[in-house]
Every structure is written in C-alpha cells, then in structure tokens.
Amino acid sequence: MKIEMRMADARRLAKGLYAGDSLPISQVKAGDEPLNVDWWRMNVQPESSESERHRAALTLYLHMAGSSKIPLPSETFPAVFDLDDGQMRPDKAVIKVFLDEGLIQPRMMVAQLVFDLTQAGRNYADRAE
C-alpha cells in the first residue's frame, strides 16, 4: 500500500513511540513474504501484547496507514508500507501475537494483505492510547 512517507520518517515516528532497541517496524528483505498470512505466523518467539513495544506498534501502524494514498478504514493497516524510498513492514513477532490473541484479522484488499482490528483489537487500541 503506497504510503506518503519516507523510511527515515517511519523510523523517527517509531522511535518517538517506543524508546526500546527493537523498533516494531522492519525494512522488507529478500525472503520475506508479507503478503502471505501464513508467513506471519511462522517461526516467532512467544510474546505478549501487553508490552510497551506492542502498544506502540499498533499506534505506529494505524498512524502510518492514515498516510495511505488509497484511503483505508481507520482501523486497518497494510502488511506492506510502500514508502517513497522503499518498503517496510510491521514487526513479524508483533503481528503474530496480534493474530494469536484475536486483535487483528487479515484480509485481502485488491492484491494487498491488510489487517483489520477486531472488537478486541479496538478495545486494545483504546487502552494503548
């Protein structure tokens, strides 16, 4: 999904929301399959959505989705942020936790995988603010 933002801006925004070392956003690398929902569920260490990192991640993803050139619902974010100077994606471990805990639901929107907040996800987002 085309996002009107540069990678440096995305990283700066992520750092402003989360002060830890491991930012909740990554550059898309060779071998990543972010348009395949099964890829998001594979080979990830168990984590909990109750961390500061997870709360910041959801805020970041929804904020970035708000800069999409194709309007998205306010409670939806893409699996790939196609930025002005490269592609980034949400953190795989964060998305796995959100999927496992039923906070988001995947769906295809044209040829793009997006994640919609569920009711549990909306409740979580309200607590994260």
Side-chain angles (χ1 to χ4, degrees), residues 80-126:
V80 175
F81 298 101
D82 187 10
L83 305 174
D84 294 337
D85 57 348
Q87 291 185 327
M88 298 188 87
R89 61 170 174 77
D91 180 83
K92 188 174 179 181
V94 169
I95 295 301
K96 180 177 182 350
V97 168
F98 288 170
L99 287 167
D100 289 350
E101 293 185 10
L103 302 178
I104 58 174
Q105 182 167 339
R107 74 175 164 93
M108 293 303 291
M109 181 175 160
V110 188
Q112 173 71 50
L113 177 65
V114 297
F115 299 105
D116 297 314
L117 295 185
T118 61
Q119 183 58 53
R122 288 189 286 280
N123 294 343
Y124 176 83
D126 289 344

Side-chain angles (χ1 to χ4, degrees), residues 34-104:
L35 299 180
N36 176 356
V37 72
D38 293 330
W39 177 81
W40 291 99
R41 297 179 191 269
M42 295 177 0
N43 304 328
V44 185
Q45 306 228 350
E47 296 185 27
S48 166
S49 65
E50 294 306 316
S51 74
E52 179 185 338
R53 182 170 182 268
H54 285 74
R55 288 187 295 274
L58 186 58
T59 301
L60 172 66
Y61 306 154
L62 294 173
H63 180 83
M64 290 179 67
S67 296
S68 175
K69 290 186 178 181
I70 297 172
L72 291 170
S74 62
E75 298 171 336
T76 299
F77 60 90
V80 175
F81 298 101
D82 187 10
L83 305 174
D84 294 337
D85 57 348
Q87 291 185 327
M88 298 188 87
R89 61 170 174 77
D91 180 83
K92 188 174 179 181
V94 169
I95 295 301
K96 180 177 182 350
V97 168
F98 288 170
L99 287 167
D100 289 350
E101 293 185 10
L103 302 178
I104 58 174

